[in-house]
Amino acid sequence: MTYGPTGGTRLRILVADDHTVMRAGVVALLADEPTIEIVGEAEDGRAAVGLVERLEPDVVLMDLRMPVLDGTRATAEIVAGPTRTRVLILTTYETDAEIERAVEAGAIGYLLKDATREQLVDAVHSASRGETVLAPRVAARLVARMRRPAPVTLTRREVDVLGAVADGLSNVEIGRRLVIAEATVKTHLLRVFAKLDVGDRTHAVVRALELGLLEGTRGRADGSG
């Protein structure tokens, strides 16, 4: 931080964006803010990493899709580096994959480029304090993603056992088909019941068919371990 003309602290900000006009727009948007000082600009992720090491800004406003080194990888390098610089993503992209990659890389927040000046200033200050900052639409996407039920996955052997159940075989017959002990068949079925949240063989088969987990298994005999 530096000190402003009235003695208050000013946050030192680096803007990283490969689009010259967009970068200039962000700088102009923050230029008159007395609590913020723009200390540098970078046109790609590699330049941003170098400037962070040299200037040690409080916050980097980081675009995602840039040449040489993209924003996500640049964020990871900055966060892993010796400075205490926070990275705040400022982008037009809001896909689940982009958001997840940025958060995993260590970004303190994720803003969209339609943010107002007030929102941007508030976000910069929050990020400098280590507070997570998310654009409302981004926050909504993350909440929706967390609320989605996790996909059900069965092991190959569990699919084989359940496929044999669908063929009408008993546990003993399943054991013979797959060359495994009857007790092992029962163990696989208990695990399948738990994963599918059912209590019996019939409902397990019905649920597995609904989820498309038994496609191509009918009548398959597999004697491998």
Side-chain angles (χ1 to χ4, degrees):
M1 292 186 184
T2 57
Y3 291 90
T6 60
T9 57
R10 300 176 69 189
L11 294 175
R12 304 174 73 252
I13 307 302
L14 175 71
V15 180
D17 197 310
D18 63 319
H19 291 98
T20 304
V21 173
M22 182 61 69
R23 192 170 68 247
V26 173
V27 171
L29 201 63
L30 299 175
D32 294 332
E33 173 55 44
T35 63
I36 288 176
E37 177 187 6
I38 304 297
V39 297
E41 300 177 40
E43 61 184 12
D44 61 65
R46 178 54 61 204
V49 173
L51 285 175
V52 166
E53 293 173 351
R54 183 160 60 87
L55 300 174
E56 299 188 14
D58 298 300
V59 177
V60 178
L61 291 174
M62 182 78 74
D63 188 24
L64 281 182
R65 300 189 183 181
M66 294 188 291
V68 185
L69 188 70
D70 65 35
T72 300
R73 289 185 293 168
T75 296
E77 289 195 21
I78 291 170
V79 172
T83 70
R84 300 182 65 181
T85 300
R86 312 281 189 180
V87 179
L88 180 57
I89 301 299
L90 183 61
T91 182
T92 57
Y93 304 101
E94 54 179 306
T95 66
D96 288 352
E98 299 278 8
I99 296 168
E100 186 174 324
R101 287 181 62 226
V103 172
E104 289 178 348
I108 193 69
Y110 200 106
L111 286 186
L112 301 176
K113 288 181 177 177
D114 61 0
T116 65
R117 178 181 180 279
E118 291 72 21
Q119 289 171 334
L120 187 55
V121 170
D122 287 345
V124 166
H125 280 274
S126 295
S128 73
R129 295 190 296 267
E131 300 171 6
T132 300
V133 183
L134 297 174
R137 294 205 305 273
V138 172
R141 293 185 74 99
L142 287 175
V143 170
R145 185 179 181 86
M146 291 175 64
R147 287 176 175 170
R148 289 180 205 152
V152 176
T153 58
L154 301 179
T155 66
R156 180 181 177 185
R157 179 56 79 206
E158 288 167 351
V159 170
D160 288 340
V161 169
L162 197 54
V165 171
D167 287 339
L169 302 187
S170 66
N171 288 353
V172 173
E173 292 169 329
I174 294 171
R176 291 187 188 131
R177 172 189 279 189
L178 301 179
V179 196
I180 57 178
E182 182 182 358
T184 303
V185 173
K186 292 179 180 178
T187 298
H188 284 307
L189 283 176
L190 288 174
R191 290 175 180 164
V192 169
F193 292 172
K195 289 182 177 180
L196 297 179
D197 193 23
V198 297
D200 58 64
R201 297 157 62 98
T202 301
H203 286 98
V205 171
V206 170
R207 182 63 178 147
L209 289 172
E210 290 175 348
L211 296 174
L213 299 175
L214 291 182
E215 296 176 3
T217 64
R218 299 299 294 271
R220 184 172 71 193
D222 184 355
S224 62

